Amino acid sequence: MNETVTQLKQSLRTLNLTEAAQIVDESLMEAEEHQRTCSEFLQRLLRYELVRREEKQLARRFKWASFPEIKTLDEFRLEEQPSLSKRQFQQLRELLWLEQNYNLILLGPPGVGKTHIAIGLGTEALKNGYKVSFVAMDNLIHFLKTQVISRSSQLKLRRICSSDLVILDDLMFMAMDRNEANLFFQFVNKLYGQTSIILTSNKGPEDWGELLGDQAITTAILDRILHKSEVIQLSGDSYRLKHRQTIFAS
């Protein structure tokens, strides 16, 4: 019997069913105790293998995404964001816009939840099998400028460009020179039509020309980003200031 079990484990590993191989002993004991059939025993092994593979794939997608922190839509206090209705919030959550390659532009002052919503939607997308990449604009510009000399930047950009959803955080946080703006245009052009973008910014599209420094490039970027997009203007007071912590007793 022990030899048969050993051979079964080895066969499962040879077939790359390594997770199932780890629970053979436990599953056999359960099968004997509850008088499971052979098909029930096999089904338990395969179900466990599939669940563990899905868990590992999700963990890899989360690692790939490079979120600065994990935020979920369930944690977002919608009642503190008057410019977004419950119905709109649910529509965003259903990810139909992602299936249709739409872009989302989240605008508003600091602290109103732009990045939280972006990461929350990214998390929902990951759980639904999409590949997601999060990148702050200053890091993106660094990758674009150093890709010729840095293998690390090349690999990072390759991953970002192969994602189903790219989250660009803090667009217009800093002004770009002409070369940086041109590199950003080439990046957006590469994503255009095949990847959805969530873009957060405290500046509206009408102000992008000043910060990009070149009106022609700005127009070309806007043409591609706004072609299929939903612009969401968030308002209200900063959540961080409203709920700031203090070292002093009240």
Side-chain angles (χ1 to χ4, degrees):
M1 179 67 174
N2 288 338
E3 184 176 345
T4 302
V5 172
T6 300
Q7 290 175 346
L8 174 58
K9 290 179 182 178
Q10 185 56 50
S11 296
L12 289 170
R13 293 191 183 98
T14 301
L15 293 169
N16 202 29
L17 300 173
T18 54
E19 299 294 337
Q22 294 180 20
I23 64 163
V24 168
D25 294 316
E26 173 190 335
S27 298
L28 280 171
M29 290 177 61
E30 183 192 56
E32 291 175 359
E33 182 179 351
H34 298 283
Q35 297 183 331
R36 306 290 191 200
T37 64
C38 291
S39 62
E40 288 173 330
F41 167 72
L42 180 60
Q43 188 177 46
R44 185 183 191 281
L45 291 180
L46 295 179
R47 189 186 307 117
Y48 182 80
E49 179 72 33
L50 289 171
V51 168
R52 288 293 295 135
R53 286 190 181 190
E54 288 172 1
E55 290 173 349
K56 286 184 174 181
Q57 288 171 359
L58 181 59
R60 280 194 294 269
R61 290 198 297 272
F62 264 102
K63 185 177 181 180
W64 181 325
S66 298
F67 293 140
E69 57 184 329
I70 301 301
K71 295 281 190 181
T72 68
L73 294 180
D74 289 334
E75 296 169 333
F76 186 76
R77 298 190 179 186
L78 188 59
E79 68 278 4
E80 297 192 21
Q81 184 42 256
S83 58
L84 195 61
S85 71
K86 185 178 292 186
R87 180 172 174 271
Q88 290 171 325
F89 192 71
Q90 184 58 35
Q91 285 181 320
L92 291 175
R93 188 170 199 158
E94 289 169 358
L95 303 180
L96 185 59
W97 56 272
L98 180 54
E99 292 178 22
Q100 299 175 346
N101 281 338
Y102 265 77
N103 301 321
L104 300 181
I105 301 176
L106 305 178
L107 302 176
V112 294
K114 302 185 300 294
T115 301
H116 188 148
I117 292 174
I119 293 176
L121 289 171
T123 299
E124 290 290 319
L126 284 173
K127 291 178 179 178
N128 281 274
Y130 293 99
K131 288 191 291 186
V132 179
S133 287
F134 178 102
V135 59
M137 275 304 300
D138 56 346
N139 289 331
L140 175 62
I141 295 301
H142 171 74
F143 297 146
L144 291 171
K145 290 172 69 175
T146 59
Q147 60 183 312
V148 177
I149 59 174
S150 170
R151 179 163 173 77
S152 175
S153 293
Q154 291 173 12
L155 291 174
K156 187 65 179 178
L157 286 170
R158 196 176 303 156
R159 280 190 172 187
I160 293 172
C161 290
S162 65
S163 298
D164 303 301
L165 171 63
V166 174
I167 300 172
L168 301 179
D169 195 39
D170 271 340
L171 180 70
M172 302 301 110
F173 178 73
M174 59 180 188
M176 299 182 200
D177 60 32
R178 183 180 177 84
N179 179 55
E180 291 169 343
N182 186 53
L183 288 171
F184 182 52
F185 164 71
Q186 292 176 35
F187 172 77
V188 170
N189 193 49
K190 188 176 291 185
L191 298 183
Y192 178 63
Q194 63 180 24
T195 301
S196 287
I197 298 172
I198 296 180
L199 189 154
T200 75
S201 178
N202 59 3
K203 301 281 188 180
E206 66 278 5
D207 298 319
W208 292 2
E210 178 184 345
L211 293 165
L212 286 168
D214 187 297
Q215 192 56 51
I217 292 177
T218 302
T219 301
I221 290 173
L222 285 172
D223 180 64
R224 284 153 180 77
I225 291 179
L226 296 177
H227 176 216
K228 289 178 65 176
S229 69
E230 188 67 43
V231 179
I232 301 170
Q233 181 71 55
L234 302 177
S235 61
D237 299 325
S238 169
Y239 176 85
R240 286 186 289 270
L241 290 178
K242 193 186 302 183
H243 297 279
R244 70 183 181 89
Q245 297 178 345
T246 176
I247 60 173
F248 300 112
S250 56

